Amino acid sequence: MNQLQQELKRRRTFAIISHPDAGKTTLTEKLLVLGGAIRTAGAVKSRKAEKFATSDWMELEKKRGISVTSSVMQFEYDSYKINILDTPGHQDFSEDTYRTLMAVDSVVMIIDAAKGVEPQTIKLFKVCRERKIPIFTFINKLDRQGKEPLELFEEIENVLGIESYPINYPIGMGQSFRGVYDRQEHKIEWYNEKRERQVQALSEVDELSELLKDTVDDYTLSQLEENLMLLDEAGSTFDLEAVKAGKQTPVFFGSAISNFGVPTFLEHYLKLAPQPQPLQSSEGVIQPDDPNFSGFIFKIQANMNPAHRDRIAFLRICSGKFEKGMSVYLDRTGKQLKLAQPQQFFADSRELIDDAYPGDIVGLYDTGFYQIGDTVCSSKDTFNFGALPQFSPEHFAKVRAKNAMKQKHFLKGVSQLAQEGAIQVYKTQYEETILGVVGTLQFDVFVYRMQAEYGVDLDIERMPHQVAKWIANREEAEALRRNSNNLVVSDYKDRPVIIFENDFSLRWFQQKHPKVELRDSSHNM
């Protein structure tokens, strides 16, 4: 086996998805502690705490106690090289999350035991399902009272439409929680307040009741025996091929805040999860062990280091070996460029690297050269991995610098933040700047970052509009622009866009102008 194939075998690249407050960032922190990447996990919830979640690098995230950008972390555990992409849970930042999901080989879905499957989880799950991404489920907060496990399995299957297979099963819940029973390896992992890991193997399944009879009450024990028997007789059988196809999800129970069940989950996950997978391109399927290097940009982030005002393009490596200083071709332009000063990340800290392999995420210094969705190849015969998802904004606002002397900084900030893909920027024929966002919290982040990173205070005026459509024909767009009833603007690539107040206004327009072709996004224009 050559070096490339050996490196592929030990790589796992995954994103963690959940509804806000299900424990996503907490689980990320505990995984990083396990990998020796950090010594103590940050206090994610407390705004006043001295420690903050390592994956929440932006100052605003630390103040609010939420994740508003995807962050990338890499570490090693048990000879595996792990790439975690911690995504924003808040629905206002789902566009960033959706693009991040394009760069992973599997997903860890966290479900709050008390709340079950929540709306944002459903949305994110659908994207994973469409891409047939293997999904591993971690049911969190078992040390609090929650829904019955069988009820949670039923919810996963009915609401999400995916078969579930519990790898382990909880012994009690809330105050009666004593641990979990591993159905595959026939062992008990005991829960204790000291947070020490205690595992006890069983020589045969019948030992379970004997071991637990002095530890749990009669009701908890009888329910456990009954439910385990029900799962063995009527539940799903474990099917690794179904897991890899995204049709069955292995389910694990634990408590991320107390680190219970996290090491067990990680060990099972590393054995079951896929290594970097083949990807569809404009030239057919690209295998990860193809010696020709390729990768795509799925995220751009400005000012990760405020002292240097730098801009980083995040590259997911898809095939071949990446080497520092290598020359590649950018598919969009056909131009050759050097990949200098490549970095790997640990939230806001980073280190220069010499090489990397498929599945790895590499940061490239960007002077404005890259765009989200760009593909780079070592061969002159370039190809691309297709466009990344772009959402039509649902909220709009006019913005301007309070101080006219700051106009140059204002234009630079708007341009750089737009290129990250979190906001969309439009210009009116009078050179007014309009922002379009998927969720209103993005306005707050934009105002904060413009002030903190570019020194520009803003006046922001919310607009009643809710729908943006791209106009396919430029001549028709100019005719519509001259009609004062239509708000026709230009996007950052000078493509015509018409903005409507609501769906009723859109339908009214389409009835009056049936020949005008409108598109949901700027792709293929």
Side-chain angles (χ1 to χ4, degrees):
M1 190 184 296
N2 65 31
Q3 187 188 22
L4 179 55
Q5 288 169 326
Q6 284 180 331
E7 293 294 341
L8 280 171
K9 277 193 77 174
R10 72 187 200 97
R11 269 162 176 76
R12 299 291 184 269
T13 301
F14 66 94
I16 303 182
I17 63 169
S18 76
H19 196 82
D21 291 330
K24 178 168 52 60
T25 302
T26 308
L27 179 65
T28 304
E29 293 284 306
K30 293 299 161 52
L31 291 171
L32 296 174
V33 172
L34 277 179
I38 54 175
R39 290 184 182 174
T40 56
V44 181
K45 294 293 287 182
S46 173
R47 296 182 192 178
K48 294 180 182 177
E50 290 181 13
K51 294 194 293 283
F52 295 101
T54 305
S55 56
D56 289 348
W57 59 267
M58 196 186 287
E59 199 63 34
L60 180 66
E61 296 179 290
K62 293 174 182 177
K63 286 184 177 178
R64 293 198 177 206
I66 60 167
S67 299
V68 299
T69 63
S70 299
S71 53
V72 177
M73 287 140 289
Q74 285 136 331
F75 66 96
E76 298 215 10
Y77 181 83
D78 195 21
S79 80
Y80 288 93
K81 180 76 178 278
I82 301 162
N83 295 274
I84 300 182
L85 284 79
D86 180 29
T87 61
H90 199 287
Q91 63 181 16
D92 284 7
F93 303 93
S94 53
E95 192 167 0
D96 190 24
T97 300
Y98 279 48
R99 284 196 287 259
T100 298
L101 291 175
M102 302 294 113
V104 300
D105 300 300
S106 58
V107 158
V108 174
M109 174 172 68
I110 304 181
I111 292 175
D112 184 320
K115 296 175 181 174
V117 179
E118 297 177 87
Q120 184 65 4
T121 312
I122 297 169
K123 281 185 182 178
L124 296 170
F125 174 84
K126 283 179 180 173
V127 181
C128 301
R129 194 66 188 269
E130 283 167 14
R131 290 199 60 227
K132 297 184 171 64
I133 303 175
I135 295 164
F136 295 78
T137 300
F138 186 84
I139 295 179
N140 195 21
K141 304 183 183 181
L142 261 288
D143 48 347
R144 302 181 194 176
Q145 198 60 39
K147 296 182 179 183
E148 287 297 318
L150 294 182
E151 186 184 343
L152 289 164
F153 302 147
E154 190 176 352
E155 209 172 301
I156 289 169
E157 301 198 0
N158 292 342
V159 177
L160 299 179
I162 188 171
E163 191 175 82
S164 63
Y165 179 87
I167 300 286
N168 58 28
Y169 196 88
I171 301 166
M173 188 180 290
Q175 293 201 329
S176 67
F177 183 55
R178 296 294 177 266
V180 292
Y181 170 65
D182 190 316
R183 296 176 64 218
Q184 285 199 321
E185 298 184 3
H186 304 301
K187 58 189 182 187
I188 297 171
E189 185 169 355
W190 298 101
Y191 176 75
N192 63 65
E193 296 300 324
K194 293 179 182 176
R195 302 188 179 184
E196 295 167 350
R197 193 178 182 193
Q198 295 179 335
V199 179
Q200 189 167 356
L202 311 182
S203 54
E204 51 186 81
V205 181
D206 295 344
E207 274 188 77
L208 184 62
S209 301
E210 190 65 30
L211 279 169
L212 294 176
K213 67 179 184 181
D214 297 326
T215 311
V216 300
D217 59 82
D218 292 344
Y219 174 77
T220 300
L221 183 56
S222 65
Q223 282 290 101
L224 176 68
E225 290 172 337
E226 189 179 316
N227 290 346
L228 286 174
M229 190 182 298
L230 188 64
L231 286 171
D232 287 341
E233 292 177 2
S236 309
T237 53
F238 182 70
D239 183 348
L240 186 56
E241 289 309 307
V243 172
K244 288 179 178 176
K247 293 178 180 177
Q248 185 184 83
T249 178
V251 180
F252 303 82
F253 289 85
S255 166
I257 196 77
S258 61
N259 202 36
F260 178 78
V262 178
T264 305
F265 162 74
L266 181 59
E267 286 156 17
H268 275 287
Y269 167 81
L270 292 172
K271 291 174 190 169
L272 300 174
Q275 63 185 51
Q277 293 296 291
L279 289 173
Q280 187 67 44
S281 79
S282 57
E283 295 297 317
V285 174
I286 304 299
Q287 297 292 339
D289 60 358
D290 186 321
N292 292 313
F293 170 80
S294 69
F296 66 88
I297 305 292
F298 68 93
K299 176 181 172 65
I300 293 172
Q301 187 76 55
N303 305 324
M304 282 189 73
N305 183 341
H308 296 129
R309 289 284 179 258
D310 61 351
R311 191 177 128 110
I312 300 293
F314 288 79
L315 176 81
R316 153 72 196 230
I317 301 174
C318 303
S319 67
K321 181 181 178 181
F322 175 95
E323 294 178 319
K324 182 174 73 174
M326 71 188 298
S327 292
V328 296
Y329 295 88
L330 182 62
D331 175 67
R332 177 170 48 86
T333 63
K335 289 182 178 176
Q336 190 177 28
L337 61 146
K338 246 186 184 176
L339 302 182
Q341 292 186 291
Q343 303 167 43
Q344 283 190 332
F345 292 90
F346 181 69
D348 64 342
S349 61
R350 54 185 100 170
E351 59 180 36
L352 291 173
I353 57 163
D354 294 320
D355 53 35
Y357 293 88
D360 286 343
I361 309 297
V362 173
L364 304 172
Y365 272 110
D366 181 23
T367 56
F369 199 75
Y370 297 107
Q371 293 179 12
I372 287 172
D374 275 351
T375 297
V376 293
C377 313
S378 57
S379 169
K380 267 188 178 180
D381 300 322
T382 61
F383 53 84
N384 66 75
F385 290 106
L388 295 186
Q390 181 188 35
F391 288 44
S392 182
E394 297 172 20
H395 308 276
F396 298 86
K398 287 183 181 178
V399 291
R400 57 186 170 272
K402 283 186 177 178
N403 183 347
M405 302 294 286
K406 292 274 189 177
Q407 186 66 8
K408 186 178 176 182
H409 293 87
F410 169 76
L411 293 174
K412 180 182 178 183
V414 168
S415 171
Q416 290 192 347
L417 297 184
Q419 286 164 352
E420 290 183 10
I423 56 167
Q424 293 185 36
V425 177
Y426 309 98
K427 281 276 193 286
T428 69
Q429 58 186 325
Y430 307 111
E431 291 300 306
E432 295 172 301
T433 300
I434 294 177
L435 295 188
V437 298
V438 175
T440 55
L441 191 53
Q442 288 174 302
F443 286 135
D444 295 345
V445 173
F446 179 79
V447 170
Y448 176 89
R449 291 188 65 189
M450 285 293 288
Q451 203 286 321
E453 296 171 19
Y454 299 94
V456 180
D457 290 314
L458 297 177
D459 280 325
I460 184 161
E461 178 190 338
R462 292 287 296 275
M463 298 166 66
H465 300 71
Q466 297 174 0
V467 183
K469 296 286 181 183
W470 276 255
I471 305 168
N473 186 302
R474 285 183 180 273
E475 290 179 8
E476 289 176 338
E478 286 308 312
L480 291 167
R481 200 191 297 269
R482 290 192 292 270
N483 181 336
S484 60
N485 293 331
N486 303 303
L487 180 52
V488 178
V489 296
S490 302
D491 70 7
Y492 75 103
K493 285 190 175 178
D494 202 34
R495 293 168 296 205
V497 180
I498 185 165
I499 302 177
F500 300 96
E501 287 199 12
N502 48 43
D503 287 329
F504 175 79
S505 307
L506 170 61
R507 289 194 298 272
W508 179 261
F509 175 87
Q510 288 172 320
Q511 286 172 10
K512 287 184 68 179
H513 304 277
K515 291 183 179 178
V516 175
E517 185 185 347
L518 300 179
R519 296 180 183 173
D520 291 333
S521 77
S522 58
H523 290 154
N524 302 319
M525 284 186 65

